[in-house]
Amino acid sequence: MSSKEEVIQVWRTADAVCFDVDSTVCIDEGLDKLADFCGVGEQVKALTNKAMGGSTTFREALKQRLNIFKPTQETLKKFVAANPPQLTPGLSDVVRMLQERGTKVYLVSGGLRAIIEPVAKVLNIPFENIFANRLQFFYDGEYAGFDKSQPTSESGGKPRVVAHLKSVHNFKNVVMIGDGVTDMEACPPADAFIGFGGNVVREKVKNGAK
């Protein structure tokens, strides 16, 4: 059986499918859009590409990007209200098909939970099925950093999430879908990785995907 045939077989029998969000479920990068909203889009986008291309650690890139503009609680709230999710065409149909056949769907992202929750709501994915980063704020709403206890805040976090899901739910076949190196790193423990290039193609992922 070829690698492609193996992946197709795992997809057909998957207990769970984990989707990356930015540039996979959605057509854009949420953190980049938030940076645009704050007037520093180009600076942050350059660091995003470094992180997704695997040329710097994810946590360091996340820290650097957020430190450029330090979003306040109020800014984040206004951004979410003004920017409804822009889903990749056809994605909602895929999620619905998976849900109808009884496959659990998870959103596993290095992005921000506050931006991803509206995505989950549109796709009828329970909030407890979101693994993403949480911003921290001081009592006055000013930016205080991000929650480093979240596994997706660092490189290697997505494999940890998949391993956790398999352990807790006894899943036998888990598929990871995404556009970035951090998604590809999740297989193993995921049983198959599908590289998604519908919005952006990253050469390292293209070359490494089955």
Side-chain angles (χ1 to χ4, degrees), residues 68-86:
I68 289 173
F69 62 107
K70 297 182 178 179
T72 65
Q73 199 166 24
E74 184 62 23
T75 297
L76 185 60
K77 186 177 178 181
K78 286 180 179 178
F79 171 80
V80 170
N83 291 273
Q86 301 294 309

Side-chain angles (χ1 to χ4, degrees), residues 17-21 25 104-134 150-152 158 161 164-165 169:
V17 175
C18 299
F19 286 92
D20 174 46
V21 177
V25 170
K104 301 295 184 183
V105 178
Y106 294 87
L107 301 178
V108 184
S109 173
L112 304 182
R113 186 181 180 93
I115 298 175
I116 293 170
E117 285 183 350
V119 178
K121 190 171 183 179
V122 169
L123 294 172
N124 293 313
I125 296 172
F127 284 2
E128 59 263 32
N129 288 17
I130 301 173
F131 292 85
N133 290 311
R134 297 176 184 270
Q150 298 300 315
T152 55
K158 290 184 179 182
V161 170
H164 167 77
L165 291 174
H169 300 289

Side-chain angles (χ1 to χ4, degrees), residues 95-208:
V95 170
R96 190 181 309 111
M97 178 272 292
L98 290 169
Q99 291 169 331
E100 286 175 353
R101 78 179 196 190
T103 302
K104 301 295 184 183
V105 178
Y106 294 87
L107 301 178
V108 184
S109 173
L112 304 182
R113 186 181 180 93
I115 298 175
I116 293 170
E117 285 183 350
V119 178
K121 190 171 183 179
V122 169
L123 294 172
N124 293 313
I125 296 172
F127 284 2
E128 59 263 32
N129 288 17
I130 301 173
F131 292 85
N133 290 311
R134 297 176 184 270
L135 293 187
Q136 296 174 322
F137 302 97
F138 290 112
Y139 68 94
D140 59 356
E142 291 297 306
Y143 174 71
F146 57 92
D147 183 357
K148 294 180 178 63
S149 72
Q150 298 300 315
T152 55
S153 70
E154 62 181 343
S155 300
K158 290 184 179 182
R160 284 170 55 199
V161 170
V162 173
H164 167 77
L165 291 174
K166 293 184 82 170
S167 173
V168 171
H169 300 289
N170 200 31
F171 293 144
K172 302 301 182 188
N173 286 319
V174 177
V175 178
M176 182 74 212
I177 301 176
D179 67 287
V181 171
T182 57
D183 306 307
M184 187 168 65
E185 288 174 347
C187 181
D191 302 279
F193 167 66
I194 298 174
F196 183 76
N199 294 311
V200 61
V201 176
R202 308 190 195 280
E203 285 304 314
K204 197 168 181 178
V205 176
K206 182 180 178 181
N207 295 333

Side-chain angles (χ1 to χ4, degrees), residues 25-91:
V25 170
C26 295
I27 63 174
D28 43 31
E29 295 280 333
L31 191 55
D32 289 354
K33 283 187 71 176
L34 177 59
D36 273 334
F37 189 75
C38 296
V40 291
E42 288 306 310
Q43 292 169 265
V44 171
K45 192 171 184 177
L47 286 171
T48 296
N49 287 332
K50 274 189 177 183
M52 293 302 98
S55 59
T56 186
T57 66
F58 185 84
R59 178 169 286 180
E60 185 58 31
L62 181 62
K63 179 181 176 182
Q64 289 174 5
R65 287 180 290 171
L66 287 168
N67 280 342
I68 289 173
F69 62 107
K70 297 182 178 179
T72 65
Q73 199 166 24
E74 184 62 23
T75 297
L76 185 60
K77 186 177 178 181
K78 286 180 179 178
F79 171 80
V80 170
N83 291 273
Q86 301 294 309
L87 298 180
T88 296
L91 190 283

Side-chain angles (χ1 to χ4, degrees), residues 7-14 17 94 97-98 101 177 194:
V7 170
I8 292 171
Q9 183 59 30
V10 174
W11 171 259
R12 286 174 174 165
T13 60
V17 175
V94 174
M97 178 272 292
L98 290 169
R101 78 179 196 190
I177 301 176
I194 298 174

